Amino acid sequence: MQITSYGAAETVTGSCHLLEANGQRILIDCGLYQGNRELEEKNQPPLPFDASTLDLVLITHGHLDHVGRLPLLIKGGYRGKFHCTPATRAVTELILRDAAHIAEEDFDRDLRKARRQGREHEVPEPLYTEKDIDLLMQRITPDMGWENTLHFHGIEIRFYPAGHVLGSAWIEVFAEGKTVVISGDLGNRESPVEADFHLPGPCDAVVIESTYGNRAHRSQQDTVDEFAQVLQQSIKKDGKILIPSFALERTQNILYVLRQLQDEGRIPLTPIYLDSPMGSRITRLYENLGGDFNPDVQQDLEQGDRPFAPENLFVTSSSGESRRLNDMKGAAIILAGSGMLSGGRIVHHLKHHLWKDSTSLVIVGYQSPNSLGGRLIAGADRVRIHGEEVVVRASVHTIGGFSAHADQDDLLAFLEPTEHARVHLVHGDLQVMEAFQQELESRGRQVVINRFGETYTVGQNL
Ligand SMILES: [Zn+2]
């Protein structure tokens, strides 16, 4: 069996790995590169391999950095099927339709601007449109339940819960007498909502994500205590409490924790607005599809309770409703996207409220250093939003422990039962992977950091 990484190699995003066995070529994920322009340019076709030669595609979970280039496979001549869990299919559809919609809007805007300057030929076409998503969805088969084995030309494929986001899986492939495990993204075992990932058994190679291979997360208890404290202070100021939130996983986690804090009387009842159409759609999937949740969440759902709906939750849908939140008086918690402040309704809320000292901005997700969020965390006293300068008088708080990813301890726990397998590190910054490699080697493990496009044979010395 052979493994080649065509994405998330020496970097975090763009996940895309090829397995070759029994003369079959199986691709696992085909995600977007995200983060900066240099990385994003790698999303432009052509793909770094011939899609028409693939025999099967597997999807670990619906995050854009794992599914964002799937439509390009069909455009590139791939004729086979895509397999995943039922929840991953549902999440993937929402995420990709949203991405295609934004790409089409951006294209129209860039084109109008370029026309005025007489350089419309310079505007790149959107990577894909909603029509391409229609074609893709017809080919995604959601048949990978946890008990199923997919038999494909003498290859056995099984999916196991990865505890990262709704539907997320890691994948075991058995062929030619060898077993390979591909981790996809592994969850934080302290997540308040997602259940712990399942552990693999003995195998020959593990391709594992290493986003946080060099660090330990803050404990969930400390994180929730800090969150409660920040909310108490902020509610007293009688202003808006803005929480930028990723639609998938973070929104549901925050809603669940808010409900708990209110039920326990640790924060006063304050109106909570979910001002994210994508966030509410995905929350409905969490409620309706169920999944591998922590026992308390599972029990709530089985009893017909709504664990992601605090009693004073209001869901806004139209942009008019969202705008009306601006004029509302008094304290209110507003969850809105995008989680990285790169666009979406949260940016409008920031523009209207950052200049007030009664406002609190509570950051619960990663912000890259040079982005708007990064500058706010660094203490900028003024920022530019939609071309206007906005003075920052709001208090800015960062709550670090709400990660959807495994930390070093979690990753080591996952690897422990795979003792004799070679470890292939992917999906991490190079320095992080080098630190994790050292840690693993000190424990006697054989480790390789997958290089882009390099082929590794399972069971053969490097
Ligand atoms: Zn992910």
Side-chain angles (χ1 to χ4, degrees):
M1 219 173 347
Q2 293 185 310
I3 304 167
T4 312
S5 292
Y6 287 111
E10 300 173 75
T11 187
V12 177
T13 57
S15 275
C16 186
H17 309 287
L18 179 70
L19 272 191
E20 291 167 280
N22 286 0
Q24 302 297 308
R25 289 162 61 78
I26 303 175
L27 197 72
I28 293 148
D29 292 342
C30 197
L32 272 193
Y33 284 100
Q34 295 173 292
N36 59 48
R37 185 167 298 196
E38 195 190 329
L39 277 171
E40 282 163 13
E41 271 168 11
K42 296 187 192 185
N43 294 324
Q44 290 300 328
L47 289 160
F49 49 85
D50 181 357
S52 72
T53 65
L54 296 174
D55 300 292
L56 191 70
V57 178
L58 308 173
I59 312 168
T60 61
H61 67 289
H63 269 146
L64 204 54
D65 67 321
H66 291 256
V67 300
R69 285 188 292 163
L70 291 176
L72 303 186
L73 296 174
I74 296 180
K75 287 183 148 192
Y78 173 56
R79 292 169 180 281
K81 281 189 178 167
F82 299 78
H83 293 266
C84 60
T85 64
T88 290
R89 186 186 189 279
V91 171
T92 298
E93 175 159 23
L94 288 182
I95 297 265
L96 284 181
R97 287 201 189 281
D98 189 54
H101 182 67
I102 292 172
E104 285 178 81
E105 276 185 353
D106 286 354
F107 173 71
D108 289 345
R109 191 198 54 218
D110 292 350
L111 196 63
R112 277 198 304 275
K113 204 164 142 190
R115 266 202 196 112
R116 289 197 294 273
Q117 297 158 348
R119 45 170 197 85
E120 58 260 48
H121 54 280
E122 287 173 26
V123 180
E125 291 275 316
L127 279 183
Y128 39 82
T129 64
E130 289 212 61
K131 281 204 190 86
D132 298 310
I133 311 302
D134 293 338
L135 291 177
L136 172 68
M137 293 318 297
Q138 288 166 15
R139 306 255 290 270
I140 302 186
T141 312
D143 60 349
M144 296 314 294
W146 304 134
E147 293 82 28
N148 296 2
T149 300
L150 175 64
H151 295 272
F152 188 75
H153 297 276
I155 303 167
E156 290 175 23
I157 298 162
R158 279 175 281 268
F159 280 43
Y160 295 92
H164 169 59
V165 298
L166 186 68
S168 65
W170 59 265
I171 299 173
E172 180 187 83
V173 179
F174 175 75
E176 301 172 358
K178 301 256 187 280
T179 303
V180 172
V181 164
I182 297 101
S183 78
D185 286 358
L186 294 171
N188 176 352
R189 287 183 300 168
E190 285 211 52
S191 160
V193 171
E194 312 290 339
D196 293 357
F197 49 71
H198 278 220
L199 290 173
C203 57
D204 300 281
V206 185
V207 180
I208 189 168
E209 68 122 320
S210 36
T211 321
Y212 294 118
N214 64 342
R215 58 172 252 201
H217 293 319
R218 194 144 192 228
S219 80
Q220 187 62 25
Q221 176 82 49
D222 289 353
T223 303
V224 171
D225 288 350
E226 191 189 1
F227 188 47
Q229 215 171 41
V230 164
L231 291 174
Q232 282 160 10
Q233 288 167 8
S234 305
I235 291 168
K236 275 191 201 139
K237 292 198 296 179
D238 216 28
K240 299 292 171 291
I241 299 157
L242 306 178
I243 308 183
S245 193
F246 301 111
L248 174 57
E249 184 273 340
R250 198 61 37 89
T251 292
Q252 295 76 37
N253 274 259
I254 295 296
L255 287 173
Y256 182 71
V257 171
L258 285 172
R259 177 174 173 262
Q260 263 187 330
L261 291 175
Q262 281 185 175
D263 287 355
E264 291 164 7
R266 294 178 66 189
I267 56 169
L269 275 186
T270 309
I272 299 169
Y273 291 89
L274 176 55
D275 189 28
S276 160
M278 189 64 168
S280 17
R281 276 184 220 123
I282 291 185
T283 303
R284 276 202 293 280
L285 292 185
Y286 267 73
E287 289 173 336
N288 297 337
L289 296 179
D292 295 272
F293 298 143
N294 278 335
D296 289 349
V297 180
Q298 202 65 43
Q299 200 186 348
D300 279 354
L301 285 170
E302 279 160 19
Q303 289 172 348
D305 284 352
R306 299 184 63 203
F308 312 111
E311 58 177 292
N312 44 342
L313 176 71
F314 302 92
V315 178
T316 53
S317 48
S318 70
S319 50
E321 280 180 300
S322 173
R323 273 197 299 276
R324 277 198 286 284
L325 296 180
N326 291 330
D327 309 319
M328 208 177 44
K329 301 272 176 282
I333 297 171
I334 301 175
L335 270 82
S338 73
M340 296 256 262
L341 309 182
S342 53
R345 293 182 177 181
I346 192 71
V347 180
H348 294 270
H349 293 301
L350 290 173
K351 196 169 154 187
H352 280 93
H353 297 294
L354 268 183
W355 57 274
K356 299 175 193 164
D357 49 21
S358 63
T359 303
S360 306
L361 171 64
V362 185
I363 308 261
V364 293
Y366 175 76
Q367 308 294 325
S368 69
N370 293 319
S371 65
L372 174 59
R375 288 196 296 280
L376 286 166
I377 289 173
D381 52 10
R382 49 194 68 219
V383 289
R384 282 193 90 73
I385 298 178
H386 297 151
E388 273 176 47
E389 194 169 81
V390 180
V391 174
V392 183
R393 293 203 191 90
S395 52
V396 179
H397 308 269
T398 314
I399 311 286
F402 286 115
S403 177
H405 279 275
D407 67 1
Q408 192 188 63
D409 270 355
D410 294 327
L411 294 171
L412 290 171
F414 186 84
L415 287 172
E416 204 180 312
T418 70
E419 213 183 346
H420 300 294
R422 182 194 289 157
V423 181
H424 292 260
L425 299 183
V426 296
H427 199 292
D429 285 324
L430 193 54
Q431 320 87 285
V432 173
M433 290 199 283
E434 281 166 355
F436 191 38
Q437 180 179 32
Q438 268 187 8
E439 176 63 36
L440 287 167
E441 283 173 350
S442 76
R443 292 161 186 258
R445 299 296 301 251
Q446 205 198 356
V447 185
V448 53
I449 295 174
N450 278 17
R451 308 285 164 192
F452 180 91
E454 195 160 320
T455 298
Y456 304 91
T457 303
V458 178
Q460 197 176 83
N461 288 337
L462 294 170

